[in-house]
């Protein structure tokens, strides 16, 4: 899997989740106790627009914010991230982008 394929899958997941706004995604990933969000608006906006590589933490909070709750599905998403970003050369290319 390439990073572009993961990005397309993320966009499809967002559509399947009812196309929540970036603000809704941020709110769904809020840190308990009002300490901000695990999914900053600028970060997720840049990822979804292809301006920034997706980190594993951003992907985890994004899929949860889109309503993915089953551990097996979350595991599949994280495996997709590993295939997209841990292949040789990809991680180093994007290490400063996030």
């Amino acid at each position: 899997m390439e990073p572009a394929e993961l990005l397309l899958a993320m966009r499809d997941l967002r559509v399947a989740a009812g196309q929540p706004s970036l603000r809704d995604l941020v709110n769904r990933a809020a840190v308990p106790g009002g300490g901000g969000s695990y999914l900053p608006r600028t970060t997720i906006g840049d990822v979804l627009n292809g301006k920034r590589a997706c980190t594993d933490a951003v992907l985890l909070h994004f899929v949860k914010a889109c309503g993915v709750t089953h551990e097996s599905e979350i595991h599949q998403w994280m495996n997709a991230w590993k295939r997209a970003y841990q292949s040789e050369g990809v991680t180093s290319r994007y290490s400063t982008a996030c």
Side-chain angles (χ1 to χ4, degrees), residues 21-95:
S21 68
L22 295 180
R23 184 180 312 264
D24 286 339
L25 291 171
V26 169
N27 291 338
R28 292 177 188 181
V31 175
S37 177
Y38 291 114
L39 200 59
R41 184 176 182 206
T42 302
T43 300
I44 193 56
D46 285 352
V47 167
L48 292 172
N49 286 317
K51 295 179 183 177
R52 181 186 296 211
C54 185
T55 65
D56 56 345
V58 167
L59 179 63
L60 176 64
H61 295 294
F62 173 78
V63 298
K64 288 182 176 182
C66 286
V68 177
T69 58
H70 292 101
E71 287 299 319
S72 62
E73 291 179 63
I74 292 169
H75 187 71
Q76 288 175 348
W77 278 99
M78 300 315 293
N79 281 338
W81 179 87
K82 287 177 187 175
R83 289 191 310 274
Y85 285 102
Q86 290 187 342
S87 62
E88 189 166 347
V90 174
T91 302
S92 60
R93 212 175 9 171
Y94 290 112
S95 61

